[in-house]
Amino acid sequence: MDKFLIDGPSKIKGKVSISGSKNASLPILAATLLFDLPVTIKNLPRVKDISTMLNLLKSLGSKVELSKDKKIAKISNPKNMKTFASYSLVKTMRGSILVLGPLVAKLHKSKTSLPGGCLIGARPVNYHLSALEKLGMNYEIKDGYIIAKSNGKLKGAVIKFPKISVGATENSIIAACLAKGKTVLKNCAIEPEIKDLTNFLNLAGAKIEWIGRTCTINGVNSLKSINYSVMADRIEAGTFCVAATLSKGSLEINNLDPKIISTELNLLKKTGAKINKNKNKISIKGPEKIKPIKNIKTKEFPGIPTDLQAQLMVLMCRANGKSSITENIFENRFMHVAELQRLGANITIKNNKAFIDGNTKFIAAELMSSDLRASVALVLAASVANGKSIINRIYHLDRGYEKIENKLKNIGIKIKRLKK
């Protein structure tokens, strides 16, 4: 397994270009299963989760042609598509469950493995299943597989999600596109990645409308061939904004609409960061002294994303005073705390709340990644620590950040990938 060697402390300076969004690409790629005609998806990030999803599509019979840089995929579906999504592909990534809706909507049956992914909490698929059931899908769970079928076309329904769920919202929208009649989804997740998915589907001829957290889909018979460019990755952008703030750095972040991280930027301003926004770039300068924030709370969009919680915790470790973070999305997302404590962090956990004593002088150590976002938080902490840190199990990072060590090297972090 590869690991990172990071020699700190570093000061960040320069420019970085944000890759396409992993969390928008995955549902869009899953939705290509609905199409009879070829579809071209651009601005795909070169990360492990995207390779997994493309391999899953290939296993279902899709023909995938990749550009030389692997950022553009042309996807064509044959008439005799397969309906079996095997455990060997689905086990590494929760996003794989997103093929269930389109397979049942298009082919009226599917055998999809229950998914895997990061160990950050239960994340059950019951919201997906109950919503698809209301659209006319029958299913049983047997030997770790969801065996599903429908009696012909799915039929529109009114569905209220008992809890806001990104994945269940996406799966239901995709499935409802080819359903007969009107589907109304209430209490939906409204993350920018979901709006990107619906924008893609609408351009292909779907009929989807939003009012607040209610999404209305009028089913169509088929979708037309399109070229579509995926939005920028707001979590990657937020990570680099935290990195600049953390290290008294100065960074220009390109290739994104600053509006998609306005909540995060407002939070960083409170810590003392100086931020300028243009049409598709952000300039950010870290403060000499980072101000603490009393209670950061993760929340569904437009709140602070859970995917930035670990990075913000590193920032608060260096803040000049006490702060706290409440994790409201996942019940098991403080696994990075023990590793930050190895670097010298003073953090106490009570239930879903972390209390952080600031002014930490991180001292280098050997560390272990537990999940995707925790991994990048350890990279940030190691970059401002004194000495050489080793971060193990960085395959988590490769799932969601495109060539992160190259981007970090270019802005002044002394980082090296050690092959094993």
Side-chain angles (χ1 to χ4, degrees):
M1 271 180 225
D2 291 5
K3 48 179 107 171
F4 279 152
L5 172 65
I6 298 171
D7 191 358
S10 306
K11 188 167 181 178
I12 284 175
K13 194 175 182 193
K15 296 180 183 183
V16 67
S17 194
I18 299 303
S19 300
S21 164
K22 171 184 87 84
N23 289 344
S25 298
L26 292 174
I28 287 171
L29 288 171
T32 64
L33 290 166
L34 298 175
F35 289 71
D36 295 319
L37 298 167
V39 189
T40 302
I41 312 296
K42 300 174 181 174
N43 200 34
L44 290 170
R46 289 181 63 177
V47 297
K48 190 79 175 73
D49 275 8
I50 299 302
S51 306
T52 302
M53 182 58 91
L54 291 172
N55 286 335
L56 179 54
L57 294 180
K58 284 180 196 169
S59 79
L60 294 166
S62 301
K63 184 185 174 192
V64 177
E65 297 170 66
L66 281 175
S67 62
K68 218 174 200 176
D69 64 2
K70 296 187 177 171
K71 292 188 178 187
I72 303 170
K74 186 182 177 186
I75 299 160
S76 318
N77 297 323
K79 284 196 163 56
N80 55 339
M81 291 287 287
K82 298 185 182 81
T83 56
F84 176 60
S86 80
Y87 172 71
S88 62
L89 282 164
V90 175
K91 67 180 178 184
T92 58
M93 183 182 72
R94 291 206 61 86
S96 310
I97 190 71
L98 294 172
V99 302
L100 176 62
L103 285 175
V104 175
K106 186 88 194 317
L107 304 166
H108 314 314
K109 63 176 182 174
S110 164
K111 185 179 178 183
T112 303
S113 171
L114 288 164
C118 287
L119 300 170
I120 57 176
R123 301 211 278 187
V125 297
N126 55 330
Y127 300 131
H128 298 245
L129 297 175
S130 61
L132 293 170
E133 195 174 30
K134 284 180 180 134
L135 293 171
M137 178 185 89
N138 300 307
Y139 73 93
E140 62 172 333
I141 294 173
K142 197 174 173 186
D143 303 327
Y145 280 87
I146 303 157
I147 299 162
K149 61 182 177 184
S150 67
N151 187 8
K153 271 196 161 200
L154 294 175
K155 292 175 182 67
V158 177
I159 298 162
K160 185 174 182 183
F161 295 107
K163 192 179 174 193
I164 292 168
S165 163
V166 170
T169 300
E170 290 167 343
N171 229 337
S172 306
I173 288 170
I174 296 168
C177 283
L178 297 186
K180 201 174 177 181
K182 182 160 84 169
T183 300
V184 180
L185 304 174
K186 297 179 176 181
N187 199 31
C188 291
I190 53 169
E191 270 65 8
E193 295 80 11
I194 295 172
K195 296 298 179 76
D196 206 34
L197 167 67
T198 55
N199 188 39
F200 160 70
L201 289 166
N202 277 338
L203 286 170
K207 292 178 179 170
I208 305 167
E209 289 178 358
W210 286 95
I211 298 172
R213 288 197 181 273
T214 299
C215 182
T216 304
I217 305 112
N218 281 293
V220 295
N221 289 323
S222 63
L223 297 169
K224 64 185 187 206
S225 176
I226 60 163
N227 284 3
Y228 191 76
S229 189
V230 175
M231 68 178 278
D233 194 313
R234 68 191 170 105
I235 305 302
E236 186 190 23
T239 300
F240 279 106
C241 287
V242 171
T245 309
L246 183 69
S247 71
K248 304 177 190 173
S250 176
L251 200 56
E252 185 182 291
I253 299 166
N254 299 304
N255 192 32
L256 83 155
D257 178 355
K259 285 195 203 85
I260 62 172
I261 57 165
S262 55
T263 306
E264 296 88 314
L265 293 177
N266 289 336
L267 185 79
L268 292 176
K269 278 180 186 171
K270 287 179 188 170
T271 70
K274 289 189 168 59
I275 298 167
N276 287 313
K277 295 177 281 188
N278 285 36
K279 193 180 172 187
N280 64 346
K281 74 173 180 185
I282 299 163
S283 298
I284 182 161
K285 199 172 187 326
E288 281 300 311
K289 275 193 172 180
I290 299 162
K291 292 175 191 163
I293 297 176
K294 284 289 178 267
N295 194 3
I296 297 169
K297 293 179 180 178
T298 64
K299 211 166 182 291
E300 296 90 354
F301 189 84
I304 294 293
T306 179
D307 279 356
L308 273 180
Q309 178 255 105
Q311 299 90 309
L312 290 168
M313 189 178 286
V314 173
L315 184 63
M316 290 301 97
C317 286
R318 299 278 285 184
N320 189 25
K322 294 179 192 288
S323 49
S324 71
I325 298 178
T326 306
E327 174 54 62
N328 291 312
I329 308 297
F330 293 122
E331 72 277 11
N332 198 20
R333 209 162 200 185
F334 284 144
M335 291 166 78
H336 46 280
V337 169
E339 299 305 299
L340 292 177
Q341 286 167 337
R342 283 171 58 75
L343 291 166
N346 189 349
I347 304 167
T348 310
I349 302 291
K350 282 185 186 163
N351 300 320
N352 66 331
K353 200 164 185 176
F355 298 89
I356 304 142
D357 269 352
N359 292 311
T360 300
K361 289 181 169 59
F362 287 131
I363 306 295
E366 185 159 359
L367 306 164
M368 184 80 73
S369 298
S370 56
D371 67 73
L372 170 53
R373 307 305 171 183
S375 309
V376 84
L378 299 182
V379 169
L380 296 185
S383 74
V384 291
N386 284 316
K388 292 181 179 179
S389 295
I390 286 175
I391 302 175
N392 294 291
R393 286 185 13 189
I394 59 166
Y395 61 84
H396 286 295
L397 261 173
D398 294 334
R399 280 188 46 225
Y401 287 91
E402 181 181 328
K403 292 187 174 175
I404 191 160
E405 68 268 36
N406 294 357
K407 290 187 179 186
L408 292 171
K409 271 180 204 163
N410 287 341
I411 57 172
I413 291 179
K414 296 188 274 295
I415 183 170
K416 191 175 177 183
R417 185 181 286 257
L418 305 175
K419 295 275 186 189
K420 211 172 180 184

